[in-house]
Amino acid sequence: MCPTAAGLTRATLEVRTTNQPALKLYQKFEFKAAGIRKRYYSDGEDAHILWRSGLQNEATLAQIYRYKKEAIAQIASTAQLMFVDCPCDATQPLVNLD
């Protein structure tokens, strides 16, 4: 759901301290570190607490929509590459439903 439809103005989340890809993504969306939850996960790993405010301002909404458009384009590009590289006959169903 988009922030505008939900009426959200701020968000918080927890992410594993070792989950660097997720931390980079949240930093890209300007989440800020608010603290650490010690032994937050069942395996004993700590979690970063991240906050983001200002979700309703125009710049943030434009950023969200820009990233969404880029992600869709990247997924479409990847899907096309997968289809082109597919060794199967794409005109035939993969499963016989009869």
Side-chain angles (χ1 to χ4, degrees), residues 1-47:
M1 179 177 290
C2 81
T4 303
L8 300 175
T9 58
R10 58 187 171 267
T12 184
L13 56 88
E14 289 85 8
V15 62
R16 288 180 179 271
T17 56
T18 58
N19 191 344
Q20 291 303 309
L23 286 166
K24 286 180 183 181
L25 175 68
Y26 298 133
Q27 288 170 351
K28 182 177 180 178
F29 281 96
E30 300 178 13
F31 276 81
K32 304 296 180 201
I36 299 281
R37 292 196 196 279
K38 295 288 186 185
R39 296 174 300 282
Y40 181 74
Y41 294 98
S42 61
D43 63 1
E45 186 174 352
D46 296 343

Side-chain angles (χ1 to χ4, degrees), residues 41-92:
Y41 294 98
S42 61
D43 63 1
E45 186 174 352
D46 296 343
H48 286 287
I49 304 166
L50 304 176
W51 282 86
R52 175 68 163 92
S53 59
L55 294 179
Q56 293 293 328
N57 73 46
E58 290 298 320
T60 300
L61 293 173
Q63 178 189 40
I64 291 169
Y65 292 121
R66 185 175 61 252
Y67 289 149
K68 178 180 177 180
K69 186 176 177 180
E70 289 171 8
I72 290 169
Q74 185 175 6
I75 290 167
S77 174
T78 301
Q80 286 177 339
L81 288 174
M82 289 171 58
F83 183 74
V84 168
D85 293 340
C86 179
C88 61
D89 181 355
T91 64
Q92 299 298 315

